[in-house]
């Protein structure tokens, strides 16, 4: 099995290293000092489950790789629309695109029976730019439950979790999903193939939609937000509104707000990826987390006043980051 990892950062390099040590033909696409280290020393994974080093091919040019069976996207969703030139050299007629993203994916309504089947969500797929870059028929969804970070160029620190749930937009357990899942399991990861991945998407989004923007606005960790009575209540309100939108589009995640809050609090003094982006002066990934859910609320008539307010202030902060970059 031949796999290309576009955006071989913390998550991408961890997945690529795991697949490589199980025997898959893996190609990492990276840049800068990280790429130089990957070429020289391979991916060094440091993990409480055991350290290991893998030596997949690394490049900054996808054309060097040629067509692959699976493309794993490890970069943020706000870069998807511009990914077409990187993805195109990697495709043959059956290549899948596995998007390890937070939030609402561009393929959400693809093959989803009901009144919104085929509907395009403008905030995550503006003018269809993402669909043109990443055709929905190739898409396999992926919800990441692993936490990793780049400790130094070429070195990935695995903090916790090994689960990467995947699933077809059409809610089938396909051969292409099973093939990729088997390779992930052989590499030491958990990779359940979910008949309906959308429930996983909403359960994870309940946390991301609240903690990611609030952490950027307050500079607080997840545990810090949970300990403060006012922000804890705000998180609960945002989660309740998010669940209402999920129900309006036909998804009913089996988890309570309190259980989701308790799980986030157990994460401890963790900085969300959005806060880390802010601290590094990078644009924040807000459209797929916040704007998409507000857009779905408009589509379905759901009342989401708290989400609208946080979207407004977080968007203003993001505009300032973009202007300064």
């Amino acid at each position: 099995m031949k796999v290309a990892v576009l955006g071989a950062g913390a998550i991408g390099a961890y997945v690529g290293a795991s697949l490589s040590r199980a025997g898959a033909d893996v190609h990492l696409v990276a840049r800068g000092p990280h790429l130089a280290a990957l070429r020289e020393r391979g991916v060094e994974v440091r993990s409480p489950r055991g350290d290991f080093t893998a030596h997949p091919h690394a490049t900054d040019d996808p054309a060097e790789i040629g067509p692959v069976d699976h493309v794993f996207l490890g970069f943020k969703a706000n870069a998807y629309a511009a990914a077409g030139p990187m993805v195109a050299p990697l495709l043959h007629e059956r290549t899948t695109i596995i998007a390890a993203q937070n939030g609402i994916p561009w393929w959400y309504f693809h093959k989803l029976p009901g009144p919104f089947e085929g509907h395009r969500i403008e905030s995550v797929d503006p003018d269809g730019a993402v669909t043109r870059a990443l055709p929905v028929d190739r898409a396999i969804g992926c919800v990441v439950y692993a936490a990793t970070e780049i400790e130094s160029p070429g070195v990935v620190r695995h903090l916790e979790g090994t689960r990467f749930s995947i699933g077809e937009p059409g809610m089938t357990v396909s051969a292409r999903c099973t093939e990729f899942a088997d390779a992930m399991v052989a590499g030491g990861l958990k990779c359940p193939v979910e008949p309906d991945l959308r429930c996983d998407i909403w359960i994870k989004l309940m946390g991301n939609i609240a903690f990611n923007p609030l952490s950027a606005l307050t500079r607080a960790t997840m545990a810090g937000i949970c300990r403060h009575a006012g922000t804890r209540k705000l998180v609960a309100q945002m989660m309740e509104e998010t669940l209402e939108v999920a129900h309006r589009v036909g998804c009913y995640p089996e988890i309570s707000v309190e259980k989701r809050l308790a799980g986030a609090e157990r994460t401890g003094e963790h900085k969300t990826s959005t806060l880390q982006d802010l601290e590094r002066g990078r644009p924040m990934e807000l459209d797929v987390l916040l704007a998409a859910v507000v857009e779905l609320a408009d589509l379905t008539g759901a009342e989401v006043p708290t989400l609208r307010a946080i979207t407004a202030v977080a968007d203003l902060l993001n505009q300032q980051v973009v202007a300064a970059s």
Side-chain angles (χ1 to χ4, degrees):
M1 189 180 78
K2 188 175 180 182
V3 180
V5 178
L6 291 185
I11 285 292
Y14 178 57
V15 167
S18 299
L19 289 170
S20 180
R21 72 170 175 170
D25 179 15
V26 176
H27 303 261
L28 307 181
V29 180
R31 60 186 180 183
H34 186 53
L35 172 59
L38 294 174
R39 284 171 162 166
E40 182 180 349
R41 302 189 304 273
V43 186
E44 299 176 49
V45 176
R46 297 174 181 170
S47 169
R49 304 175 72 244
D51 299 348
F52 68 94
T53 300
H55 297 273
H57 171 240
T59 180
D60 59 358
D61 182 8
E64 243 182 58
I65 300 168
V68 300
D69 300 307
H70 303 281
V71 177
F72 184 90
L73 300 182
F75 45 69
K76 297 288 181 67
N78 52 12
Y80 285 0
M86 296 181 68
V87 171
L90 303 171
L91 302 180
H92 60 57
E93 61 181 14
R94 294 181 305 280
T95 303
T96 72
I97 298 172
I98 301 166
Q101 71 161 96
N102 289 323
I104 302 295
W106 81 102
W107 53 261
Y108 189 86
F109 288 115
H110 179 57
K111 293 186 177 180
L112 179 64
F116 307 118
E117 183 173 2
H119 177 81
R120 179 174 57 81
I121 305 169
E122 178 68 20
S123 52
V124 302
D125 189 9
D127 297 322
V130 176
T131 295
R132 287 192 294 274
L134 310 173
V136 288
D137 285 337
R138 296 183 181 274
I140 290 175
C142 179
V143 178
V144 178
Y145 295 93
T148 59
E149 61 185 21
I150 297 291
E151 190 168 273
S152 60
V155 180
V156 175
R157 171 70 64 179
H158 171 230
L159 303 171
E160 63 176 358
T162 60
R163 181 178 161 199
F164 294 77
S165 296
I166 65 172
E168 290 279 0
M171 295 182 289
T172 60
V173 179
S174 65
R176 64 186 193 171
C177 278
T178 301
E179 176 191 61
F180 185 77
D182 288 348
M184 292 279 277
V185 171
L189 304 176
K190 296 177 182 177
C191 192
V193 180
E194 301 291 351
D196 187 1
L197 190 69
R198 291 174 179 86
C199 282
D200 286 67
I201 288 170
W202 284 102
I203 289 171
K204 188 167 186 194
L205 180 56
M206 285 172 68
N208 290 141
I209 201 170
F211 288 104
N212 287 52
L214 289 180
S215 67
L217 292 165
T218 64
R219 309 301 200 273
T221 63
M222 291 176 67
I225 292 169
C226 288
R227 285 194 301 267
H228 185 273
T231 51
R232 187 183 185 94
K233 183 178 180 181
L234 187 59
V235 167
Q237 290 171 333
M238 294 175 75
M239 287 184 176
E240 292 285 3
E241 291 178 9
T242 301
L243 280 175
E244 175 61 22
V245 176
H247 296 164
R248 296 279 183 119
V249 294
C251 192
Y252 297 86
E254 295 182 358
I255 191 167
S256 69
V257 167
E258 276 307 312
K259 185 174 181 181
R260 193 67 183 84
L261 266 167
E265 191 167 14
R266 283 195 301 271
T267 304
E269 305 305 327
H270 172 66
K271 291 183 178 183
T272 69
S273 59
T274 303
L275 176 54
Q276 292 178 48
D277 285 342
L278 177 66
E279 290 178 340
R280 294 166 184 160
R282 298 174 181 169
M284 296 179 289
E285 186 184 38
L286 296 176
D287 287 344
V288 295
L289 299 182
L290 275 167
V293 178
V294 172
E295 185 178 336
L296 293 180
D298 291 338
L299 180 68
T300 60
E303 296 292 330
V304 291
T306 314
L307 293 180
R308 290 186 192 279
I310 297 301
T311 298
V313 292
D315 183 60
L316 177 57
L317 176 60
N318 202 37
Q319 286 183 23
Q320 293 171 326
V321 172
V322 171
S325 63

